[in-house]
């Protein structure tokens, strides 16, 4: 969506604040020994306390409130009985709906004591996002974001997982435009003032390929290597974007 009124901006900010609170609560609880179902319960409880709903559950029938993916699981992991272990690389992906507005963010947490390669991969996803923020400006093109992400990821020796993209958001989860994490000349849409999108580097330790699991939801790296994901919802402006889901 594109913001048309102050009410739109305030509604999106409220949704973004709730996403932040959910992620913080889950990060605080995340340690070896907790199950992904228990993390999901924490996230869902914070949602309900603030009158929000899980957008993936609402729109797509996802069997959980939060998408939780571990190690080689890239995105869309289903919460369940899996017990988090020391060294795991955990992706927490939260999308909520509040009063007709949606916001989406994800973080990757390396559970101590985490191997250096896991920490480096998580740091790379954040750094690629920061690099993309330098070009997420009115007047640039969607593919400028992808080029920035891809350049930073390759510079650090990792791989972009292809075709797992950012997207427009606001009134539903996935809106136009699609925002690839690599340079795609077809992604030539103009970034316009007030456009609401997610930017979300989704990267692999050793491959850019992925496969869908037998559960019909979970995406894994094709070679079993680690994956990391970092995402924020933002509003395009003439200068620095407004980060709706970041502190």
């Amino acid at each position: 969506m594109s913001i048309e009124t102050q009410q739109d901006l305030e509604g999106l900010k409220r949704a973004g604040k709730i996403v932040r609170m959910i992620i913080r609560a889950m990060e605080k609880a995340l340690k070896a020994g907790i199950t992904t179902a228990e993390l999901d319960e924490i996230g869902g409880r914070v949602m309900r306390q603030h009158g929000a709903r899980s957008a993936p559950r609402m729109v797509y029938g996802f069997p959980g409130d939060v998408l939780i993916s571990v190690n080689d699981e890239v995105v869309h992991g289903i919460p369940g009985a899996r017990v988090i272990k020391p060294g795991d690389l955990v992706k927490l992906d939260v999308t909520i709906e509040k009063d007709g507005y949606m916001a989406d963010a994800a973080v990757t947490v390396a559970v101590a004591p985490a191997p250096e390669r896991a920490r480096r991969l998580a740091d790379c996803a954040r750094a690629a996002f920061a690099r993309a923020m330098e070009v997420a400006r009115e007047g640039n093109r969607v593919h400028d974001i992808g080029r920035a992400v891809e350049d930073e990821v390759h510079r650090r020796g990792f791989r972009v997982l292809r075709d797992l993209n950012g997207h427009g958001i606001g009134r539903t989860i996935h809106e136009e435009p699609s925002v690839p994490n690599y340079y795609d000349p077809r992604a030539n849409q103009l970034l316009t003032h007030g456009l609401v999108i997610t930017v979300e580097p989704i990267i692999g330790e050793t491959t850019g390929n992925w496969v869908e699991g037998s559960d019909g939801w979970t995406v894994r790296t094709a070679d079993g290597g680690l994956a990391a994901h970092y995402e924020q919802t933002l509003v395009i402006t003439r200068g620095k974007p407004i980060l709706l889901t970041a502190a």
Side-chain angles (χ1 to χ4, degrees):
M1 69 175 283
S2 289
I3 290 174
E4 297 179 353
T5 66
Q6 186 64 26
Q7 180 180 345
D8 286 340
L9 180 58
E10 294 305 319
L12 287 162
K13 284 182 174 179
R14 284 192 295 271
K17 183 178 181 180
I18 295 169
V19 169
R20 287 199 304 274
M21 289 189 289
I22 294 165
I23 288 177
R24 284 174 180 167
M26 296 175 71
E27 284 183 303
K28 186 176 180 180
L30 179 54
K31 60 184 178 180
I34 196 169
T35 68
T36 56
E38 289 168 335
L39 286 169
D40 184 61
E41 183 179 353
I42 291 167
R45 184 164 61 244
V46 177
M47 279 182 207
R48 291 184 287 275
Q49 286 171 348
H50 294 89
R53 297 184 292 173
S54 167
R57 186 189 289 277
M58 184 177 78
V59 176
Y60 297 118
F62 181 75
D65 286 323
V66 177
L67 287 64
I68 304 175
S69 308
V70 183
N71 295 334
D72 65 318
E73 296 173 350
V74 182
V75 288
H76 308 161
I78 299 173
R82 181 171 187 163
V83 177
I84 298 299
K85 299 176 182 178
D88 278 347
L89 196 61
V90 183
K91 280 74 72 177
L92 306 172
D93 187 354
V94 176
T95 313
I96 64 102
E97 181 274 338
K98 169 71 173 175
D99 298 332
Y101 295 98
M102 294 192 181
D104 188 1
V107 298
T108 298
V109 181
V111 179
E116 181 183 357
R117 64 193 178 96
R119 295 195 301 270
R120 286 181 55 239
L121 189 66
D123 288 346
C124 178
R126 283 181 176 265
F129 175 86
R131 181 83 174 270
M133 292 304 94
E134 298 173 6
V135 297
R137 301 285 193 277
E138 178 183 0
N140 286 343
R141 302 278 176 177
V142 169
H143 59 56
D144 293 320
I145 292 173
R147 189 198 300 273
V149 169
E150 185 174 42
D151 285 352
E152 184 65 19
V153 172
H154 286 178
R155 188 180 74 81
R156 291 172 178 250
F158 298 116
R159 298 289 179 266
V160 170
L161 286 153
R162 309 290 284 191
D163 300 321
L164 299 173
N165 301 339
H167 49 87
I169 191 171
R171 291 298 189 178
T172 191
I173 302 179
H174 295 109
E175 301 176 353
E176 291 297 326
S178 180
V179 184
N181 288 309
Y182 51 91
Y183 176 71
D184 183 344
R186 297 168 297 179
N188 63 355
Q189 300 94 328
L190 198 64
L191 296 173
T192 53
H193 189 79
L195 179 67
V196 186
I197 60 173
T198 71
V199 173
E200 49 181 309
I202 303 173
I203 64 175
E205 179 186 16
T206 50
T207 184
N209 299 319
W210 52 270
V211 294
E212 188 176 275
S214 59
D215 61 17
W217 291 99
T218 308
V219 170
R220 298 175 180 271
T221 57
D223 66 353
L226 295 175
H229 181 195
Y230 185 80
E231 174 184 18
Q232 301 286 353
T233 298
L234 58 99
V235 183
I236 297 296
T237 73
R238 295 178 183 86
K240 291 182 180 180
I242 300 169
L243 300 182
L244 297 170
T245 46

